[in-house]
């Protein structure tokens, strides 16, 4: 095989299947960015696996020219765990939605993150159930009117970033489907060693259009979104003159130059600080601008590596077991010809 | 039956026996399972055939001293070929009043009952629920017909360890060894195997040589008590069984299942990943495999049953041998994912150690009531193959066979084992790795240039699809739960394709019947009665049919290892017998299948008590069948304990009242 290495382009990661999301769906933008990032990091098609649950987002694997499973509702993290512990060399991505990951699959999401299995989880959050035609989801706001909540939802919404942090996720980030934040976050996630959790604000053009317009409209977005950068002050606004200040651990929005506030009063983002990440994760419009970028990124052991290491450690310690070793473990005894004939009732 | 061999000092008669059934019974904290296991191991090593039945409460520590907290362990050991743990008990050792109360009814007439007299205190008698002021040891009526020996085990054990320097609590924990020592003496068993075990456990593993010393001292004290106290007038001798020469070891069913899975992994050269969530009585498969890392075994203790099966599916997709294990309620939770494995045509092995149900049911007791769940407990037409082992040692072969079918045919296979064989034990002839057949997996065909890989392009014979996995360049493909095209695997809602695919999924199962062995009746090929069984009832059925045949009755037995598909010749075999009896530990699930599929008027003996069949119960049903005693009834149920042909329970059959009054 002396062929020159082919450099894969984004389109090389596409499958031959027609993409069948609704026109204007935010998923298209995410699909394109994922392909672009895979090309950029020169991922190997044969080593890349997309695992999805059920929902609009979860049709994702069909549109990728890599390996993939479209599985059952909410269980993609568990399937992906099985894939990864079997072959730790694979690059495994989980694509899921707010209903899939946080409702029916909440348990699995929590556990895959705490185990720090080295896989990338993209949670498309459109705050609605799209595939089943518009019911409220675990991230829908209180009062959301939908076919299943005609008088308004009375379920308080979950905050995906808080869930991920509570589950001890080693990488927690947020991005917006049509925003430049997406490619940056995806690339960091792809390179992260460990479970990477990425919440992506995604527009459901049919059932919840404009849920994130504050974060995507030109007029409002700079005042509504914080772009987090490790080691940099947490600033936002068109003029980058607004920032976040913590007084007695309580955050507030301040403007530099007003009330004696200077740049040094602004909190500095630290990706290793879980408490800061948690505080930022709770920022919600309209009271606070909502952060995008990497909330938390720390290194840690990966489940599948620890598991593989137990095998090599055991083999170093006890030797590589063979079947004959296995069969002869424990107390074996020999029945000889003489014994078997020496019989009370012969 | 007894044959007097000799007199020791003119006092101790040694009586030869072909077999004996001993039951250890005590509080859940008394170490009865350990004592029973040690007795089993030693009996296996001296060359007896053995079969065991552990019986323990679902609660880890039910209130001490109560009947609910009694833990029992029964062993049948013999110089003959045996297949069951025995119907009635020859010797019961009861460590407290509750144990006596719970188990006395199963001791044979004239059987031996050794009670730990020290524990028959007012308080303990009250806890056990004896009437105020009464003590069964003082009640001639209560113990009439048994040879009762009241041994102050607790006190004697304390005395023997008085100078050990150990606390009262630790000393108390050794009393199971004292009891074991007494039984070892009675049955003339060597102590060295247990001494070796105690040493390796407490000294080598736990680093507590003083505990080793105390336990060995108790064990010997019990043994010497038997020898010197002139308490017992007789000893018993059970010689080696006439078994095929070779190397043996004792195996417990779940342990054999674990070894079978590892073996299948090596034979197929696919890494085993066992994904499971703890559940009684399946957990010990997980425990066994978790201790086998040096064999390359990965285990994944998942967050729930669904995660466990899904992870196993991920394993298989990634090219490993994906196995999940559970018990009935867990199988219910796994059903959607099993459907995914059926749809995606991935190999998957599901171990279901059945227990009493429904719901949480009887977690520590056995039953066979998941057969229909295994067959049909999923949405859509969703067939899977089912293999059921017949005994503890057979779990090894069944696990290999299920894995072979799963990987060679690219389908999920359920192994239906049960609590009785999972916890029971028997001697196992140690196989040689070289004698085992490899598992051959059809590899993917090499691709021509620009040729698109077709993930569902099937083999002609088995209809199995090729197993390509991530990491293989050129074979990138997507699978999923949506209906897909017969060859390309692309999502397809085409009505005719769905009909075709539904038939293909069934046909994949049907064609397994081409490679499994035909069913062979034990006994004659035709006759008055065929007793058909499956799974862990094999031993009782086999023994009952042997006894019936010894009486000259025209009875044969047949055992179904493959429940789906069933052997091709089953219909022919059934029709060669005038009558068919199907004993099952459920309300008649196999009977339903056999009647509907083969249009045979099979009748049932159905026991739903959380316990295996007594041989006697099946013998009586055979007699009743041969005497046309079933009348129009489709099934009968044995009453608890004492069963006679006139004591059947007809309560469930009001529409056929008096059919066999």
């Amino acid at each position: 095989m002396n062929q020159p290495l082919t450099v894969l382009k984004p389109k090389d990661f596409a499958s031959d299947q027609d993409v069948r999301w609704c026109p204007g769906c935010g998923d298209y933008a995410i699909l394109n960015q994922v392909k672009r990032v895979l090309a950029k990091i020169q991922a190997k098609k044969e080593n890349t696996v997309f695992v999805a649950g059920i929902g609009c987002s979860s049709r994702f694997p069909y549109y990728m020219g890599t390996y993939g499973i479209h599985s059952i509702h909410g269980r993609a993290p568990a399937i992906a765990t099985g894939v990864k512990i079997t072959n730790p060399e694979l690059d495994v991505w989980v694509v899921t939605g707010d209903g899939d990951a946080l409702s029916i699959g909440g348990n699995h999401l929590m556990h895959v993150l705490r185990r720090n299995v080295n896989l990338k989880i993209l949670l498309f959050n459109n705050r609605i159930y799209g595939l089943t035609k518009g019911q409220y989801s675990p991230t829908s706001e209180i009062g959301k009117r939908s076919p299943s909540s005609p008088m308004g939802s009375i379920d308080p919404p979950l905050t995906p970033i808080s869930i991920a942090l509570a589950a001890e996720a080693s990488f927690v980030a947020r991005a917006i489907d049509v925003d430049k934040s997406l490619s940056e976050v995806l690339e960091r996630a792809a390179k992260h060693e460990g479970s990477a959790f990425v919440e992506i604000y995604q527009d459901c053009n049919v059932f919840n259009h404009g849920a994130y317009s504050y974060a995507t409209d030109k007029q409002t977005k700079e005042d509504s979104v914080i772009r987090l950068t490790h080691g940099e002050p947490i600033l936002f606004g068109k003029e980058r003159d607004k920032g976040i200040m913590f007084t007695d651990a309580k955050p507030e929005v301040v403007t530099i130059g007003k009330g004696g506030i200077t740049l040094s009063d602004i909190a500095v983002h630290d990706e290793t600080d879980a408490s800061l990440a948690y505080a930022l994760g709770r920022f919600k419009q309209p009271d606070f601008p909502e952060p995008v970028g990497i909330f938390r990124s720390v290194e840690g052991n990966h489940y599948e590596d620890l598991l593989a290491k137990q095998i090599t450690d055991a083999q170093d310690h006890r030797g590589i077991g063979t079947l004959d070793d296995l069969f002869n473990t424990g107390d074996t005894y020999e029945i000889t010809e003489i014994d078997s004939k020496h019989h009370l009732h012969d | 039956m007894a044959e007097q061999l000799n007199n020791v000092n003119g006092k101790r008669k040694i009586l030869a026996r072909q077999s004996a059934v001993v039951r250890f019974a005590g509080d859940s904290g008394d170490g009865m399972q350990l004592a029973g296991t040690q007795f089993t191991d030693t009996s296996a090593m001296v060359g007896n055939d053995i079969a065991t039945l552990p019986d323990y409460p679902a609660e880890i520590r039910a209130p001490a001293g109560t009947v609910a907290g009694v833990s029992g362990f029964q062993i049948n050991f013999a110089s003959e070929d045996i297949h069951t743990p025995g119907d009635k008990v020859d010797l019961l050792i009861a460590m407290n009043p509750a144990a006596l109360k719970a188990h006395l009814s199963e001791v044979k007439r004239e059987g031996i009952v050794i009670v730990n007299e020290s524990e028959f205190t007012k308080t303990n008698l009250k806890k056990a629920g004896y009437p105020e002021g009464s003590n069964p040891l003082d009640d001639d009526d209560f113990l009439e017909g048994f040879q009762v020996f009241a041994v102050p085990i607790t006190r004697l054990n304390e005395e023997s360890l008085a100078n050990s320097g150990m606390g009262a609590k630790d000393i108390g924990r050794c009393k199971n060894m004292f009891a074991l020592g007494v039984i070892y003496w009675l049955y003339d068993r060597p102590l060295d195997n247990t001494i070796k075990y105690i040493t390796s456990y407490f000294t080598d593993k736990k680093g507590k040589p003083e505990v080793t010393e105390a336990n060995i001292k108790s064990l010997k004290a019990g043994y010497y008590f038997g020898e010197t106290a002139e308490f017992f007038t007789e000893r018993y001798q059970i010689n080696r069984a006439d078994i095929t020469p070779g190397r043996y070891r004792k195996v417990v069913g779940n342990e054999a299942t674990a070894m079978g899975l590892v073996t299948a992994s090596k034979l197929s050269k696919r890494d085993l990943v066992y994904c499971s969530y703890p559940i009684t009585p399946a957990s010990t498969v997980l425990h066994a495999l978790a201790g086998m890392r040096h064999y390359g075994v990965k285990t994944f203790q998942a967050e729930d049953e669904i995660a466990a099966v899904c992870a196993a599916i991920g394993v298989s997709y990634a090219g490993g041998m994906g196995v999940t294990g559970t018990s009935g309620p867990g199988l219910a939770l796994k059903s959607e994912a099993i459907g995914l494995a059926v749809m995606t045509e991935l190999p998957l092995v599901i171990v279901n150690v059945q227990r009493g149900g429904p719901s949480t049911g009887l977690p520590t007791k056995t039953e066979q009531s998941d057969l229909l769940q295994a067959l049909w407990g999923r949405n859509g037409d969703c067939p899977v193959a089912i293999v059921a082992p017949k005994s503890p040692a057979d779990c090894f072969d069944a696990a290999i066979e299920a894995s072979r079918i799963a990987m060679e045919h690219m389908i999920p296979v359920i192994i239906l084992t049960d609590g009785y064989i999972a916890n029971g034990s028997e001697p196992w002839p140690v196989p040689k790795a070289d004698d085992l057949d490899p598992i051959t997996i059809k590899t993917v065909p090499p691709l021509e240039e620009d040729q698109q890989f077709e993930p569902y392009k099937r083999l002609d014979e088995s209809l199995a699809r090729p197993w390509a996995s991530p990491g293989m360049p050129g074979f990138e493909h997507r699978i999923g739960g949506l209906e897909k095209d017969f060859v390309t695997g692309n999502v397809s809602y085409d009505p005719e394709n769905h009909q075709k695919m539904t038939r293909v999924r069934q046909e994949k199962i049907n064609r397994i019947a081409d490679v499994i062995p035909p069913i062979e009746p034990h006994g004659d090929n035709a006759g008055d009665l065929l007793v058909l069984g499956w799974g862990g009832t094999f031993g009782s059925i086999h023994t009952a049919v042997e006894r019936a045949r010894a009486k000259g009755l025209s009875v044969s037995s047949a055992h179904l290892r493959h429940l789906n598909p069933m052997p091709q010749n089953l219909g022919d075999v059934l029709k060669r017998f005038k009558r068919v009896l199907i004993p099952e530990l459920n309300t008649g699930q196999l009977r339903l299948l056999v009647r509907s599929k083969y249009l045979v008027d099979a009748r049932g003996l159905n026991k739903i008590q959380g316990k295996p069949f007594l041989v006697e119960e099946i013998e009586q049903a055979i007699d009743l069948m041969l005497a046309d005693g079933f009348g129009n009834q489709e099934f009968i149920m044995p009453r608890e304990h004492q069963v006679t042909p006139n004591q059947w329970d007809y309560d469930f059959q009001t529409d056929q009242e008096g059919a066999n009054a």
Side-chain angles (χ1 to χ4, degrees), chain B residues 355-387:
Chain B
R355 64 193 215 181
S359 189
T360 313
L362 307 174
T364 61
K365 311 290 181 192
T366 200
E367 207 163 277
Q368 292 185 302
S369 47
D370 296 347
L371 175 56
L372 298 184
Q373 179 185 213
L375 259 183
W376 291 323
R378 291 165 296 282
N379 67 298
D381 277 309
C382 189
V384 301
I386 303 172
V387 173

Side-chain angles (χ1 to χ4, degrees), chain A residues 68-217:
Chain A
I69 314 181
H70 175 236
S71 69
I72 50 178
H73 207 7
R75 320 301 176 189
I79 292 176
T81 300
V83 170
K84 190 70 182 171
I85 61 185
T86 304
N87 185 352
E89 301 298 310
L90 301 174
D91 296 323
V92 183
W93 296 71
V94 169
V95 179
T96 181
D98 42 315
D100 194 54
L102 299 172
S103 194
I104 191 167
N107 189 28
H108 309 303
L109 179 68
M110 173 166 81
H111 290 281
V112 77
L113 293 175
R114 63 134 173 146
R115 291 187 184 111
N116 202 26
V117 182
N118 189 4
L119 42 80
K120 318 301 153 205
I121 300 163
L122 310 181
L123 189 160
F124 298 9
N125 184 4
N126 55 21
R127 311 182 75 171
I128 203 77
Y129 282 178
L131 195 71
T132 51
K133 297 197 176 151
Q135 299 85 355
Y136 68 100
S137 91
T139 52
S140 294
E141 63 278 18
I142 290 183
K144 181 77 181 175
R145 289 180 188 274
S146 79
S148 59
S149 58
M151 295 171 69
S153 162
I154 53 174
D155 296 18
L158 285 171
T159 305
I161 299 288
S162 303
I163 301 279
L165 289 164
E168 307 294 338
S170 62
F171 182 96
V172 178
R174 180 190 282 150
I176 301 167
D177 53 6
V178 293
D179 186 83
K180 63 183 176 185
S181 60
L182 183 58
S183 62
E184 294 163 12
V185 162
L186 288 176
E187 194 176 335
R188 279 284 304 274
K191 291 175 176 166
H192 177 70
E193 293 286 324
S195 283
F197 174 83
V198 181
E199 177 192 20
I200 304 171
Y201 283 173
Q202 176 253 330
D203 189 49
C204 175
N205 195 35
V206 174
F207 295 106
N208 206 18
H209 183 49
Y212 298 109
S213 53
Y214 61 87
T216 52
D217 287 358

Side-chain angles (χ1 to χ4, degrees), chain B residues 196-215:
Chain B
K196 203 172 111 193
Y197 169 81
I198 292 170
T199 311
S200 84
Y201 186 76
F202 288 111
T203 304
D204 303 345
K205 204 168 156 194
K206 301 260 172 180
K208 291 180 174 172
E210 69 285 1
V211 180
T212 297
E213 204 181 312
N215 274 288

Side-chain angles (χ1 to χ4, degrees), chain A residues 3 14-17 20 44-51 54 59-73 75-88 90 104 107-112 114-115 117 303-304 306-308 310-346, chain B residues 3 5 16-18 41 44-48 79-80 193 196 237 239-250 259 262-263 266-267 271 273 275 291-304 306-308 310-320 336-337 340 344 346 396 427-428 430-434 436 452 468-482 490-491 493:
Chain A
Q3 289 166 346
S15 74
D16 60 353
Q17 299 293 296
R20 292 186 185 172
K44 288 181 177 166
K45 278 173 72 169
E46 68 271 23
N47 274 5
T48 306
V49 187
F50 280 86
V51 185
I54 296 294
R59 299 294 173 96
F60 201 95
Y62 291 124
Y63 309 136
M64 298 297 295
T66 63
Y67 282 94
I69 314 181
H70 175 236
S71 69
I72 50 178
H73 207 7
R75 320 301 176 189
I79 292 176
T81 300
V83 170
K84 190 70 182 171
I85 61 185
T86 304
N87 185 352
L90 301 174
I104 191 167
N107 189 28
H108 309 303
L109 179 68
M110 173 166 81
H111 290 281
V112 77
R114 63 134 173 146
R115 291 187 184 111
V117 182
Y303 184 87
E304 70 280 11
L306 292 174
L307 184 55
Q310 284 197 339
I311 289 189
T312 50
D313 285 353
Q315 290 177 334
D316 288 347
H317 183 64
R318 302 170 71 175
I320 296 174
T322 67
L323 279 185
D324 285 318
D325 295 338
L326 176 71
F327 300 156
N328 287 285
T329 316
D331 294 327
T332 61
Y333 51 92
E334 208 75 46
I335 301 285
T336 63
E337 197 74 45
I338 297 158
D339 287 330
S340 71
K341 289 217 170 110
H342 176 71
H343 192 267
L344 200 65
H345 305 281
D346 273 351
Chain B
E3 175 191 349
L5 287 184
R17 293 273 194 268
Q18 275 177 291
D41 290 353
M45 292 185 76
V46 302
N48 293 140
S79 59
E80 59 188 342
N193 184 52
K196 203 172 111 193
Q237 187 172 334
N239 278 3
R240 274 188 187 284
D242 192 3
I243 43 185
T244 314
R247 181 175 285 274
Y248 286 81
R249 63 184 273 203
K250 184 205 77 172
M259 284 196 293
V262 178
T263 304
K266 302 281 183 200
L267 295 176
D271 290 343
V273 187
C275 310
M292 294 182 187
R293 291 272 191 270
H294 62 301
Y295 295 107
V297 175
K298 289 177 180 172
T299 53
F300 173 61
Q301 181 176 314
E303 57 272 21
D304 63 25
I306 300 174
C310 285
I313 290 171
V315 169
S316 293
Y317 184 59
E336 184 192 6
L340 176 69
T344 52
L346 282 171
F396 176 78
W428 180 56
V430 177
K432 288 198 173 64
D434 287 345
L436 303 171
Q452 184 83 14
S469 317
M472 295 168 61
F475 295 93
E476 292 85 4
H477 65 281
R478 277 67 54 194
I479 58 173
L482 290 170
N490 290 332
V491 174
Y493 296 118

Side-chain angles (χ1 to χ4, degrees), chain A residues 19-53:
Chain A
V19 183
R20 292 186 185 172
W21 285 311
C22 305
C25 178
D27 290 359
Y28 286 97
I30 304 171
L31 178 66
N32 289 335
Q33 287 300 332
V34 168
K35 286 189 284 198
R36 192 165 300 163
V37 166
L38 290 177
K40 189 170 179 193
I41 64 171
Q42 278 302 296
K44 288 181 177 166
K45 278 173 72 169
E46 68 271 23
N47 274 5
T48 306
V49 187
F50 280 86
V51 185

Side-chain angles (χ1 to χ4, degrees), chain B residues 77-101:
Chain B
F77 53 109
S79 59
E80 59 188 342
D81 193 18
I82 48 166
H83 300 279
T84 77
D87 284 8
K88 286 282 183 179
V89 174
D90 291 292
L91 184 146
L92 169 71
I93 181 152
M95 296 296 280
N96 64 13
L100 181 68
K101 190 172 196 183

